[in-house]
Amino acid sequence: MNFRTYIRTYPITCGLIGVILFVFLLMTLAGGSEKTWVLIAFGAKYKPAIQNGEYWRLITCNFLHIGFMHLVLNMVALISLGGLAETLFRKVRYGLLILLSGVGASAASLVFNPDATSAGASGSVFGLVGALMAYAWKDPRFRSSGIVSSLVVLVIINLIFGFTMPYIDNAGHIGGLISGLVIGGVFRLFQRPVS
């Protein structure tokens, strides 16, 4: 699949990646994506600001990344999983999944890791994984392909890694995963599998 076909086939995934890359460029020009004041200025999850009514940060923090490697890892994950999820759930539901799992991740981070200034699309990525697991669980095509077991292994490895690295917001990852599991289960109830 060439680049143009990919964009036409997966417009939500490509649009999301485009916005994230553009914001990262703006943050870099503003002083650097690893600087706390830049993160806060661009809408990172920051408890004092959220307590003052800036609830939009629960959404905007999902479009920010702290450093180049953080950006690359999440973009690779979105490219790897986004196309499958966008095909299965269709565009509107997929967009809702990204948004709601990101908010779920941010809310979990706010409750269980309140002092961290955090950002990143990884909560939404974990939401994608959770939704794909919930959706694919009862589909024999997915079970026989090994995708469910691969996703479970991916989650376990990432959560273990998150618990051993102090700068990773595992509360956000778990919040995104649980949100995705719930949303994927709901989608499974109301949508026929893609043939």
Side-chain angles (χ1 to χ4, degrees):
M1 182 182 297
N2 64 40
F3 184 68
R4 287 183 180 179
T5 304
Y6 188 89
I7 291 173
R8 283 197 305 270
T9 308
Y10 309 120
I12 305 297
T13 300
C14 293
L16 178 62
I17 290 170
V19 169
I20 289 170
L21 292 175
F22 180 67
V23 171
F24 187 81
L25 174 63
L26 292 179
M27 292 174 69
T28 302
L29 294 173
S33 65
E34 296 184 46
K35 293 186 178 174
T36 303
W37 68 268
V38 174
L39 286 162
I40 293 170
F42 275 79
K45 187 215 88 187
Y46 180 58
K47 183 181 177 182
I50 294 172
Q51 287 176 327
N52 286 332
E54 296 181 10
Y55 303 112
W56 46 268
R57 289 179 178 273
L58 297 174
I59 296 172
T60 56
C61 67
N62 294 284
F63 296 93
L64 314 180
H65 287 81
I66 306 169
F68 184 71
M69 283 309 299
H70 187 212
L71 174 74
V72 169
L73 290 172
N74 279 332
M75 295 308 94
V76 169
L78 276 175
I79 290 168
S80 300
L81 299 171
L84 174 60
E86 193 164 349
T87 300
L88 284 177
F89 302 131
R90 312 285 195 246
K91 292 168 181 43
V92 173
R93 289 183 178 181
Y94 173 68
L96 284 173
L97 168 62
I98 292 287
L99 177 66
L100 295 176
S101 58
V103 171
S106 303
S109 174
L110 185 64
V111 171
F112 296 105
N113 194 13
D115 297 327
T117 300
S118 56
S122 51
S124 293
V125 169
F126 269 85
L128 287 182
V129 172
L132 289 169
M133 287 168 56
Y135 189 90
W137 188 259
K138 292 187 176 181
D139 191 317
R141 294 172 304 168
F142 287 109
R143 283 205 310 272
S144 63
S145 72
I147 191 170
V148 175
S149 56
S150 297
L151 290 171
V152 170
V153 170
L154 178 69
V155 167
I156 291 170
I157 290 171
N158 277 279
L159 289 180
I160 290 172
F161 185 69
F163 282 121
T164 59
M165 304 298 283
Y167 57 86
I168 293 178
D169 189 350
N170 241 8
H173 292 172
I174 294 168
L177 178 66
I178 292 170
S179 299
L181 285 167
V182 171
I183 295 165
V186 171
F187 286 174
R188 183 70 188 177
L189 290 175
F190 296 102
Q191 181 174 326
R192 293 179 181 176
V194 175
S195 57

